Amino acid sequence: MILNTELEYKGNLFPSKIVFYKKNVDTLYFKTENNVTLQVTVERDSVLRFRFATSSIFENDFSYGITMYASKGYNKLEIEEDKNNYIITTSKLICHISKLDLRTAIFDAKDKTLICEDELGFHWEESYEFGGDIVKMSKTSLDGESYFGLGDKPVDINLKGKRFENWATDSYAYVRGADPIYKAIPFYLGLHHKKAYGIFFDNTFRSYFDFCQEKRNVTSFWADGGEMNYYFIYGPEMSEVVSNYTDLTGRPHHIPPLWALGFHQCKWSYYPEAKVKEVTNMFRELKIPCDAIYLDIDYMEGFRCFTWNKEYFPDPKRMVKELADDGFKTVAIIDPGIKIDNEYSVYKEALEKDYFCKRADGPYMKGKVWPGECYFPDFTKPEVREWWADLFKELIEDIGVKGVWNDMNEPAVMDVPGKTFPNDVRHDYDGNPCSHRKAHNIYGMQMARATYHGLKKFSYPKRPFVITRSAYSGTQRYTSTWTGDNVATWDHLALANIQVQRMCMSGFSFAGSDIGGFAEQPNGELFTRWVQLGVFHPFFRVHSSGDHGDQEPWAFGPTMTDIVRKFIEIRYQLLPYLYTAFWRYTEDGIPILKSLVLFDQHDQHTNYRNDEFIFGEKILVCPILEQNAKGRRMYFPIGKWYNFWDNSIVIGGEEKWVDADIDSMPIFIKEGAIIPKYPIQQYVGEKIIEQLELDVYFKEGKEVSEVFEDAQDGFDYKKGRYSLRNFNLVGKTNSLTILQFKSGKFITTYETFKINIHSLPFKIKSIEVDNEEIDIKMLNGNITFVITKEFRELHIIG
């Protein structure tokens, strides 16, 4: 006879004292009296992995977040113990593990200062509803600690005092502080005493982060299931933390094609063909540079993916070719929902092969999206990804579409609570079957991955270009992204600035926003200010909902059109500079945009700055975020900065007023920078580059700049067919020397550099190139001259 039917709710459970320890090469195991096991893996000298099992049995070690190319190895590993702790020492870190309760404390190996320590440490609660555990971790927030990262959260850069949730969510017209939204990137940076570390909580269940909101000096993270599995990444520089994080979760598999960094025009929706042509013809007529035109869901037959509406687009292949002849790449949208329709080949094939997601008891997961009732492919199954990739043959190889944009892949479902799949939907998860609770946050990532492989296959030998709305850590390997369905308001302009900076510091640099706002209608001033910001975002696209009026560069009258054109032209001039930043990002994981705190964490003033950022390595930008503004106050990082417009010099380290009427914005160049520039083109490849301009900004001291070039598309650069030029600038009171070091086998189309010297503090006596004197001319007070691209030493003598 059963007497007690009450469930015993145990509340939080904690590890007890360590009773067993063993070492296996780079991995250490600690087992406690109550059967908790901690596995510590030394990934690198500055990267430790902590993994806990509450019943001594670990799940299959599988992660979509970690790349197979992650670096491994360390220079030093020593294990000691004292009365209270096991002590793990690498060349960068010392980690104490308490014998009493598995709590950890991590110190800098050089100066023995504390970097991060557990408060309660690991604890867990049994999940009675679903089984398994709710896994929790709490750490002490040290004196003056700040927090950054977590992807696209629409809040200020510094996360201290806030709490967040990671659950990819379709968030139409979200507001400041909305949470969760489209992405789940469970990675954050901590900064205190000018030292930075990162924590990547690799758990795909719904997860939460509290940065001293509940308790003033405690930061914590937890998840509704799965393992407590996190990586501790030490800097001490923030840029090193981000670089090590992208080493772990992956960098883009290649540089984007150069055209993908040009200006893109999009709308929901441009149709029929005559409308598409009207828009593209207007770009060329008004001489506003543009590289890509987008087709939203209305190009399809009844919103069925991989089909064309033959009434609107009778001959897509011809249209796409004609657009290409005019310099426009066509980018098409593809969503995950497949219409339930027995006459539809994609649906029939997936049904026959059993590729759709199912509910727990067997029926297919059915949900309403644009086509009506749909089934959804299980992208966590390798053969489904392969099938999906092959579906792109016609679109890419036959018709000639150059890019694909994955939307609604949170996955979004209409007219249901929660706006997504129910929890009981099943997924293969690459042979680790699970429910949607675990697979939800990676669904969009795996769709984007399958799309990427399809484009790579059928675009070859050109590089694929994919965009995704939803993402988990590591999605940067395959695609670019944007910040979702924003709104045409001044506050959303400010949010776009912050969100893209945050995406960059969260390892995902190829990001932008819907310029002008997706929902509602901007006025000309807001649109123009947004384009000015967009020029300095890695992904540069105008997109809007057709319900709210036109949002092309000419939609707001001739004055605004001229200003927008001027700024888009600046983007095209800066393409070699941006391309070089992308190369550095794909090689080393260095963010393309740097929030001021990432640029200079040693300056206390940068910890709470939201608006200013560094574009690439050398350009300081601060958007105008208020209506009717004739300028703004902005903070200048320590150092000297040249005003882009008039070459005046500003000494950094404080906040200053900058004039910037509607036809201007605050742009400053770091002293000593050498900025490469292309001529203005209407689209990438319109002109053969016959000369590279180098804008040289004087500095007393040393500065290194670089320019990376290749064929602008294709994979030959990976075989050494690139050109990397390093310029070492040395300025003295009466001389300026530039040394050039070149590597790579690519031969550029130009033979000469046009050198523009800005603000020399001395009168020139002579200029020598490789010890031979040359003639110079003055232009608007600037010194301009042409020299061979092969020069080794340029010497300006005062």
Side-chain angles (χ1 to χ4, degrees):
M1 181 179 174
I2 298 167
L3 297 173
N4 185 359
T5 56
E6 289 293 306
L7 261 179
E8 186 191 346
Y9 285 99
K10 299 177 185 133
N12 282 338
L13 301 166
F14 293 83
S16 56
K17 70 178 185 192
I18 296 174
V19 292
F20 170 78
Y21 151 74
K22 78 167 183 182
K23 176 177 182 289
N24 183 5
V25 191
D26 60 355
T27 305
L28 311 154
Y29 295 89
F30 304 91
K31 190 171 179 181
T32 69
E33 216 167 32
N34 61 344
N35 268 341
V36 177
T37 301
L38 164 60
Q39 175 188 311
V40 181
T41 307
V42 181
E43 303 282 339
R44 295 167 65 186
D45 285 302
S46 55
V47 182
L48 303 178
R49 180 186 183 191
F50 296 88
R51 200 174 166 213
F52 295 83
T54 56
S55 56
S56 294
I57 298 163
F58 288 97
E59 296 174 3
N60 184 27
D61 191 12
F62 174 80
S63 169
Y64 287 119
I66 303 295
T67 175
M68 61 196 281
Y69 306 110
S71 305
K72 285 276 212 181
Y74 43 86
N75 296 316
K76 175 183 178 179
L77 178 56
E78 291 172 3
I79 320 295
E80 300 166 298
E81 57 178 299
D82 62 20
K83 195 167 71 142
N84 300 317
N85 300 293
Y86 286 93
I87 300 163
I88 304 164
T89 304
T90 73
S91 64
K92 297 275 181 74
L93 297 170
I94 299 167
C95 175
H96 289 194
I97 294 173
S98 166
K99 291 179 174 178
L100 187 66
D101 56 11
L102 288 183
R103 283 193 297 176
T104 64
I106 301 175
F107 303 83
D108 184 316
K110 283 204 177 93
D111 62 14
K112 310 295 187 285
T113 54
L114 179 65
I115 308 162
C116 181
E117 70 175 338
D118 287 356
E119 183 237 8
L120 296 176
F122 171 62
H123 47 295
W124 74 97
E125 198 180 330
E126 291 182 10
S127 173
Y128 295 96
E129 190 182 353
F130 295 105
D133 298 317
I134 297 159
V135 291
K136 307 176 182 182
M137 173 61 66
S138 66
K139 295 187 175 288
T140 302
S141 180
L142 296 174
D143 189 33
E145 189 158 4
S146 292
Y147 301 96
F148 307 92
L150 281 196
D152 61 348
K153 305 298 185 189
V155 297
D156 286 355
I157 295 280
N158 197 325
L159 303 173
K160 190 158 190 177
K162 299 184 175 75
R163 177 182 278 204
F164 301 97
E165 187 178 331
N166 277 333
W167 186 253
T169 304
D170 177 9
S171 310
Y172 175 78
Y174 57 92
V175 295
R176 181 181 286 269
D179 189 54
I181 61 169
Y182 300 97
K183 294 169 187 69
I185 300 183
F187 163 71
Y188 72 86
L189 300 104
L191 173 68
H192 62 85
H193 301 97
K194 302 180 180 177
K195 290 182 176 180
Y197 67 90
I199 285 180
F200 170 41
F201 179 28
D202 190 11
N203 181 313
T204 62
F205 284 80
R206 191 187 292 258
S207 61
Y208 307 83
F209 289 79
D210 183 301
F211 300 104
C212 311
Q213 189 195 60
E214 186 177 328
K215 288 188 184 166
R216 196 169 62 86
N217 61 345
V218 177
T219 185
S220 54
F221 48 94
W222 64 101
D224 284 348
E227 285 185 344
M228 174 49 62
N229 169 32
Y230 73 93
Y231 294 79
F232 178 88
I233 305 163
Y234 187 44
E237 296 298 314
M238 286 180 81
S239 57
E240 291 173 315
V241 176
V242 178
S243 181
N244 284 334
Y245 164 74
T246 56
D247 180 82
L248 204 57
T249 58
R251 292 164 188 162
H253 289 329
H254 48 75
I255 312 168
L258 189 63
W259 68 263
L261 308 187
F263 177 70
H264 298 195
Q265 182 70 40
C266 184
K267 182 183 189 171
W268 175 31
S269 285
Y270 287 131
Y271 69 94
E273 180 184 329
K275 181 64 185 175
V276 176
K277 292 284 189 65
E278 181 192 317
V279 172
T280 56
N281 289 343
M282 189 61 90
F283 272 102
R284 298 297 177 245
E285 199 178 302
L286 294 174
K287 292 217 171 321
I288 299 170
C290 183
D291 262 280
I293 188 80
Y294 283 61
L295 301 176
D296 208 321
I297 52 175
D298 295 281
Y299 81 88
M300 303 174 193
E301 180 59 53
F303 308 127
R304 292 168 184 79
C305 294
F306 306 101
T307 67
W308 290 79
N309 181 316
K310 288 298 166 74
E311 186 189 330
Y312 297 152
F313 299 100
D315 189 347
K317 187 172 181 174
R318 172 191 49 76
M319 178 190 77
V320 168
K321 185 187 182 303
E322 286 168 4
L323 289 168
D325 290 344
D326 204 12
F328 289 95
K329 307 287 191 291
T330 304
V331 180
I333 196 170
I334 292 284
D335 290 348
I338 300 298
K339 185 173 174 64
I340 298 170
D341 172 5
N342 287 318
E343 304 298 306
Y344 172 32
S345 63
V346 176
Y347 168 77
K348 278 196 336 198
E349 191 182 355
L351 200 61
E352 279 162 22
K353 293 181 172 174
D354 199 21
Y355 284 169
F356 290 126
C357 294
K358 290 179 178 169
R359 304 290 297 267
D361 297 326
Y364 288 108
M365 163 56 211
K366 186 194 284 187
K368 185 183 161 198
V369 213
W370 302 115
E373 290 195 328
C374 292
Y375 290 162
F376 299 82
D378 182 6
F379 295 109
T380 71
K381 206 172 192 173
E383 55 267 41
V384 175
R385 291 196 298 271
E386 207 170 302
W387 164 77
W388 184 262
D390 285 340
L391 292 175
F392 286 96
K393 183 180 191 302
E394 185 187 5
L395 199 64
I396 306 301
E397 192 175 83
D398 302 347
I399 292 172
V401 167
K402 287 291 184 277
V404 167
W405 156 37
N406 286 161
D407 197 11
M408 304 290 286
N409 58 346
E410 287 71 31
V413 178
M414 296 169 177
D415 302 337
V416 294
K419 299 192 277 196
T420 192
F421 294 4
N423 278 336
D424 75 324
V425 170
R426 313 322 275 178
H427 296 271
D428 179 72
Y429 214 87
D430 278 72
N432 301 277
C434 67
S435 78
H436 194 66
R437 295 171 65 239
K438 182 175 181 178
H440 174 86
N441 280 333
I442 53 85
Y443 187 87
M445 174 197 202
Q446 294 309 302
M447 180 191 184
R449 174 188 182 185
T451 302
Y452 166 82
H453 285 297
L455 264 72
K456 189 173 182 188
K457 185 173 182 177
F458 298 116
S459 302
Y460 195 82
K462 301 300 186 191
R463 299 173 207 156
F465 173 61
V466 180
I467 316 164
T468 183
R469 189 169 76 177
S470 183
Y472 181 75
S473 291
T475 311
Q476 68 271 4
R477 305 196 286 264
Y478 316 111
T479 84
S480 61
T481 190
W482 85 105
T483 59
D485 294 343
N486 58 7
V487 188
T489 64
W490 288 91
D491 193 45
H492 263 276
L493 170 59
L495 286 176
N497 180 24
I498 292 168
Q499 286 177 285
V500 174
Q501 286 181 55
R502 194 193 306 292
M503 285 300 294
C504 288
M505 67 164 67
S506 303
F508 205 143
S509 274
F510 199 178
S513 68
D514 283 347
I515 292 170
F518 178 74
E520 299 178 18
Q521 176 74 357
N523 62 15
E525 184 190 6
L526 175 57
F527 179 79
T528 301
R529 290 300 194 193
W530 212 317
V531 168
Q532 290 171 356
L533 171 64
V535 165
F536 299 99
H537 278 170
F539 179 50
F540 185 29
R541 179 183 78 160
V542 166
H543 181 41
S544 63
S545 157
D547 305 343
H548 301 108
D550 293 334
Q551 228 156 283
E552 292 76 37
W554 52 85
F556 303 97
T559 305
M560 295 304 175
T561 302
D562 290 345
I563 298 167
V564 167
R565 179 193 297 108
K566 176 175 95 171
F567 275 89
I568 294 174
E569 286 175 350
I570 289 171
R571 168 71 164 219
Y572 276 76
Q573 288 176 297
L574 289 174
L575 281 177
Y577 175 84
L578 177 57
Y579 197 62
T580 302
F582 261 99
W583 168 74
R584 176 59 64 212
Y585 166 55
T586 55
E587 287 294 303
D588 299 333
I590 303 294
I592 291 173
L593 304 190
K594 296 163 191 66
S595 303
L596 289 197
V597 68
L598 191 62
F599 180 71
D600 185 1
Q601 70 196 51
H602 303 282
D603 177 0
Q604 204 68 40
H605 292 106
T606 63
N607 281 22
Y608 285 87
R609 302 304 304 192
N610 289 307
D611 298 351
E612 309 88 347
F613 61 89
I614 306 291
F615 173 66
E617 301 290 330
K618 315 284 187 192
I619 300 178
L620 169 65
V621 178
C622 188
I624 300 292
L625 304 172
E626 290 181 355
Q627 202 163 358
N628 303 322
K630 304 290 184 195
R632 63 163 298 154
R633 292 190 68 78
M634 64 177 279
Y635 183 76
F636 287 86
I638 292 162
K640 282 185 184 168
W641 300 88
Y642 285 85
N643 189 315
F644 174 79
W645 306 103
D646 64 12
N647 289 332
S648 59
I649 294 173
V650 175
I651 310 293
E654 59 181 335
E655 199 174 75
K656 299 188 179 178
W657 174 266
V658 179
D659 289 325
D661 212 333
I662 185 66
D663 62 346
S664 178
M665 78 179 285
I667 306 170
F668 293 84
I669 315 292
K670 189 181 181 191
E671 64 166 348
I674 297 178
I675 307 288
K677 283 159 79 173
Y678 281 163
I680 293 162
Q681 307 175 76
Q682 293 310 298
Y683 56 91
V684 166
E686 183 202 19
K687 295 176 179 172
I688 290 168
I689 309 298
E690 292 174 341
Q691 193 172 66
L692 184 70
E693 277 197 48
L694 297 176
D695 280 0
V696 179
Y697 292 85
F698 179 82
K699 173 183 183 175
E700 196 167 319
K702 296 179 179 176
E703 191 75 24
V704 178
S705 300
E706 57 191 2
V707 57
F708 176 91
E709 294 171 287
D710 62 8
Q712 301 178 358
D713 204 345
F715 296 91
D716 274 1
Y717 79 93
K718 293 197 168 194
K719 301 169 195 156
R721 290 194 185 89
Y722 61 84
S723 159
L724 175 63
R725 300 174 187 277
N726 279 290
F727 299 110
N728 287 6
L729 176 145
V730 182
K732 297 181 179 171
T733 45
N734 60 351
S735 73
L736 177 65
T737 306
I738 298 170
L739 302 172
Q740 179 185 200
F741 304 92
K742 182 183 177 299
S743 57
K745 294 185 276 194
F746 181 72
I747 296 164
T748 58
T749 52
Y750 57 84
E751 293 299 327
T752 55
F753 295 134
K754 182 182 178 189
I755 309 274
N756 305 313
I757 307 277
H758 296 261
S759 301
L760 266 191
F762 54 81
K763 282 218 164 72
I764 294 175
K765 196 161 100 186
S766 64
I767 297 183
E768 291 176 0
V769 177
D770 297 332
N771 299 321
E772 287 187 20
E773 208 167 310
I774 61 160
D775 294 331
I776 58 157
K777 58 183 174 197
M778 299 286 286
L779 208 65
N780 303 328
N782 287 338
I783 301 108
T784 299
F785 52 91
V786 174
I787 61 173
T788 169
K789 70 176 181 183
E790 302 303 344
F791 87 91
R792 293 194 176 167
E793 185 173 348
L794 167 64
H795 197 43
I796 302 175
I797 302 146

